[in-house]
Amino acid sequence: MNRVWLKSYPPSVPPSIDMEKLQPLNVMMRDSCVEFSDRTAFSNMGARLSFTELEQLSARFAAWLQHQPGLKRGDRIAIMMPNLLQYPVVMYGALRAGMTVVNVNPLYTQRELAHQLNDAGVSLIVILENFAATLQAVIKQTTVHTVVVTRVGDLLNFPRSAVVDFALKYIKRKIPAWHIEGTFNFKHVLKTSEQLGFEEQQLSLDDVAFLQYTGGTTGLAKGAVLTHGNMAANLHQVICWLSPFVGRGGEVMITALPLYHIFSLTANCLTFTCLGGENVLITNPRDFPAFIKSLRGLHFTVITGVNTLFNALLHTPGFEKLDFSGLKLALGGGMAVQRSVAENWKKVTGSPLLEAYGLTETAPAACMNPLSNLDYNGSIGLPIPSTDVAIMDDENNMLNLNETGEICIRGPQVMKQYWQRPEETASHFNPPGWFRSGDMGYMDENGYVFIQDRKKDMILVSGFNVYPNEIENILVEHPLIIEAAAVGVSHGHSGEVVKVFVVTRDSSLSEEQVIEHCREHMAAYKVPREVEFRKDLPKTNVGKVLRRSLRA
């Protein structure tokens, strides 16, 4: 195929990566810990974790895993926590022990949590105490047999660790009462495993590193099978793209997006660990005044986020007074970056806000704007090294430049398959091996890709995928609702929000009651913001609801 995008590459970026140099993630992490031993790898709430400490603590956790009865190489280990120092310790430890990591959104309801744990066949979960009550309610119906509970302060410095834990439990009351038989305490695990022998696993690029869950059009989340090879390839691709502009061993990355999300996991946690940079973990990015306070005095060089995060920062008093003199890169992904936000960002910080594109299934990076670009261009960028992008019609024919079709991706970072979903896998790959993204767009004569619309009915709320079928299935469980349809409507803050159309059995049902029903059964970002009652819903001649008509 004609790779027109290569002519737009920065001179120092190669067209492809050296596949012979790829190594499993545990080897890449070990090498970084040796090379950057004395540097800070992660920081959070005033505490710092050096690369040496990361290596030591992750080895202890890996050793503990290897000595647990009923656990073996390849088993799935779930992590359910926000951005804390414990996350990289557990994640790297699990990979070093040869386990597969399953990232779990801490905002999940009981229903959502039970589905993911069972679908992945999770054996062990490491969970923040704040969310243990949710696990308690469903654990007997899941495959989980071992639970490790951690507290926010477990790896913080004393006395802050004690103060934070006390405040969360007794003052802010953020920890609901819970009781799960036989749980292990994270700090105790690290202490008791210090003397245990650890055997570093000899992993191959075909071993599964992550089961990374993404929404499904059937209403059920599905796991993208990402191997060590997929992840290592994407890390090399991203590093090739960044290397002319960011250095090794000196960058300070602001990590506000949750590490359980593929964007932050790869672009922040893994990439900058390999580069020897410091990840500044923001535990609660929704508290923007506190977020700004944590940035004061920091000479940060890189920040990633979604459009809503950048927009909120710009509208938080005090942001404009921060030190942006070291800022080299602001990268937006997960949802479209709006022109007004990008232009305002550059005006305030002096640095362009560049857009990138990817999916959970592509580990995630597929396209990125060159870091040499100084202004917003409305594009998701160019295909990164060793990545092919084609625009295709429904018959898998490649379209011409500037013609709109489905964005299809081929490269070493593309997932192996969906976990235990052969039909889903087959429907997303066409015979020549292209992954069909479901996004509609076009490529211009310089190789830049532009998204125009989403092919399916997915709703994108602050960078998180929300699927209408899931919303509708929960709505019709209400005894007074006959039919329901969910669509996305534009919203200035979160890009889109969910609006639902409801046909009821009883006109007394109120909008507040519908929303409350949803709150009980789904994560907050999925809950409808608008409810419209109708006598009927528009349908095709075979009875399928016409969501397009409802959006119009």
Side-chain angles (χ1 to χ4, degrees):
M1 63 181 299
N2 183 17
R3 297 177 173 86
V4 296
W5 54 85
L6 294 180
K7 66 182 180 181
S8 298
Y9 265 32
S12 53
V13 175
S16 61
I17 60 172
D18 187 348
M19 298 294 292
E20 296 297 321
K21 293 184 177 180
L22 297 187
Q23 296 177 311
L25 295 181
N26 62 324
V27 176
M28 296 178 70
M29 184 277 295
R30 182 191 63 200
D31 291 348
S32 291
C33 288
V34 171
E35 181 179 357
F36 306 107
S37 58
D38 295 331
R39 293 187 176 273
T40 299
F42 294 87
S43 61
N44 178 237
M45 300 186 198
R48 294 182 174 276
L49 194 67
S50 71
F51 279 90
T52 294
E53 290 169 328
L54 176 61
E55 192 281 329
Q56 293 172 343
L57 293 179
S58 63
R60 286 189 208 172
F61 187 72
W64 183 82
L65 290 175
Q66 290 178 337
H67 284 78
Q68 288 306 297
L71 281 182
K72 62 184 184 302
R73 174 172 164 159
D75 280 356
R76 273 74 65 197
I77 306 299
I79 308 176
M80 187 173 178
M81 69 177 78
N83 291 359
L84 297 168
L85 295 178
Q86 294 91 304
Y87 180 90
V89 170
V90 173
M91 188 264 288
Y92 287 137
L95 293 177
R96 296 181 74 181
M99 310 294 182
T100 296
V101 173
V102 181
N103 284 305
V104 179
N105 187 338
L107 301 178
Y108 271 167
T109 62
Q110 297 172 14
R111 176 192 190 124
E112 294 162 325
L113 177 59
H115 164 71
Q116 185 167 328
L117 295 178
N118 282 325
D119 188 76
V122 168
S123 300
L124 178 149
I125 185 170
V126 182
I127 187 170
L128 185 66
E129 186 181 30
N130 305 45
F131 313 107
T134 305
L135 177 63
Q136 175 191 334
V138 301
I139 190 169
K140 291 183 179 179
Q141 290 79 51
T142 72
T143 57
V144 174
H145 57 69
T146 306
V147 179
V148 179
V149 178
T150 187
R151 294 178 177 178
V152 170
D154 277 355
L155 292 182
L156 298 181
N157 303 320
F158 185 83
R160 174 173 285 188
S161 57
V163 171
V164 167
D165 287 338
F166 181 86
L168 285 172
K169 187 167 186 177
Y170 297 107
I171 300 176
K172 297 184 179 180
R173 300 190 181 278
K174 295 291 187 181
I175 304 175
W178 64 277
H179 177 73
I180 302 174
E181 290 286 345
T183 59
F184 293 88
N185 175 274
F186 179 71
K187 287 181 70 175
H188 185 69
V189 164
L190 293 183
K191 184 177 181 179
T192 57
S193 61
E194 192 170 0
Q195 304 304 320
L196 295 178
F198 165 55
E199 182 182 350
E200 188 90 49
Q201 295 297 292
Q202 300 299 311
L203 301 173
S204 77
L205 296 177
D206 291 327
D207 282 314
V208 180
F210 295 92
L211 274 190
Q212 193 71 19
Y213 274 72
T214 183
T217 55
T218 61
L220 297 175
K222 55 186 183 291
V225 177
L226 296 173
T227 65
H228 282 263
N230 294 144
M231 300 300 292
N234 208 224
L235 290 178
H236 279 272
Q237 291 167 319
V238 172
I239 289 171
C240 279
W241 199 259
L242 299 181
S243 58
F245 302 91
V246 300
R248 292 180 63 82
E251 306 299 343
V252 178
M253 159 69 80
I254 303 302
T255 301
L257 294 183
L259 291 173
Y260 60 78
H261 193 285
I262 189 65
F263 181 16
S264 190
L265 172 65
T266 300
N268 295 44
C269 182
L270 296 172
T271 296
F272 280 84
T273 296
C274 290
L275 288 172
E278 174 185 347
N279 269 272
V280 180
L281 302 182
I282 307 299
T283 304
N284 182 14
R286 296 177 181 177
D287 185 348
F288 285 98
F291 190 170
I292 299 299
K293 184 177 180 180
S294 67
L295 296 181
R296 290 196 190 114
L298 276 181
H299 193 68
F300 60 94
T301 60
V302 183
I303 183 171
T304 61
V306 293
N307 184 80
T308 51
L309 177 77
F310 293 119
N311 192 38
L313 287 173
L314 288 167
H315 287 87
T316 301
F319 178 73
E320 73 285 353
K321 296 179 182 178
L322 296 175
D323 178 11
F324 302 109
S325 60
L327 185 58
K328 298 178 180 180
L329 172 63
L331 190 66
M335 62 185 296
V337 172
Q338 296 172 335
R339 179 177 296 275
S340 60
V341 173
E343 291 176 348
N344 196 18
W345 178 269
K346 185 176 181 182
K347 184 186 300 183
V348 172
T349 68
S351 175
L353 174 53
L354 302 177
E355 191 166 1
Y357 170 78
L359 306 106
T360 301
E361 294 88 344
T362 59
C367 295
M368 295 179 71
N369 269 285
L371 274 63
S372 54
N373 288 4
L374 299 179
D375 295 300
Y376 176 82
N377 60 14
S379 164
I380 59 172
L382 307 167
I384 59 177
S386 292
T387 303
D388 289 330
V389 170
I391 310 300
M392 297 186 179
D393 63 17
D394 289 340
E395 285 72 46
N396 298 325
N397 300 308
M398 291 191 186
L399 302 179
N400 296 321
L401 296 176
N402 295 303
E403 289 185 346
T404 296
E406 186 171 359
I407 299 171
C408 299
I409 304 160
R410 184 172 62 185
Q413 74 272 44
V414 177
M415 70 170 188
K416 185 177 181 180
Q417 62 193 27
Y418 287 117
W419 176 252
Q420 298 179 337
R421 297 281 198 283
E423 292 182 359
E424 287 266 15
T425 301
S427 69
H428 280 80
F429 286 91
N430 65 24
W434 291 90
F435 177 75
R436 302 192 69 100
S437 71
D439 290 317
M440 303 297 286
Y442 66 92
M443 180 182 291
D444 72 8
E445 57 279 356
N446 294 312
Y448 282 88
V449 182
F450 295 79
I451 288 183
Q452 287 190 316
D453 199 358
R454 287 181 293 281
K455 185 176 182 181
K456 296 178 181 177
D457 293 317
M458 183 185 75
I459 305 165
L460 202 62
V461 180
S462 295
F464 289 94
N465 295 349
V466 179
Y467 289 84
N469 278 349
E470 180 182 10
I471 309 296
E472 293 161 6
N473 289 342
I474 291 173
L475 281 168
V476 296
E477 289 180 359
H478 193 287
L480 297 182
I481 295 178
I482 302 172
E483 289 184 315
V487 302
V489 294
S490 61
H491 187 269
H493 174 67
S494 56
E496 286 185 315
V497 293
V498 177
K499 178 177 180 177
V500 296
F501 298 83
V502 176
V503 178
T504 70
R505 304 179 192 278
D506 188 334
S507 60
S508 67
L509 184 66
S510 67
E511 179 177 355
E512 290 74 22
Q513 289 172 310
V514 173
I515 292 175
E516 183 56 33
H517 171 73
C518 292
R519 283 201 186 104
E520 293 176 4
H521 299 289
M522 63 185 76
Y525 64 89
K526 301 177 184 179
V527 174
R529 293 288 190 90
E530 299 179 33
V531 179
E532 182 174 326
F533 295 95
R534 290 200 169 193
K535 293 182 179 180
D536 53 36
L537 300 177
K539 299 182 179 71
T540 66
N541 57 352
V542 295
K544 185 176 180 180
V545 174
L546 289 167
R547 295 196 186 105
R548 184 179 302 174
S549 297
L550 293 172
R551 282 195 296 267

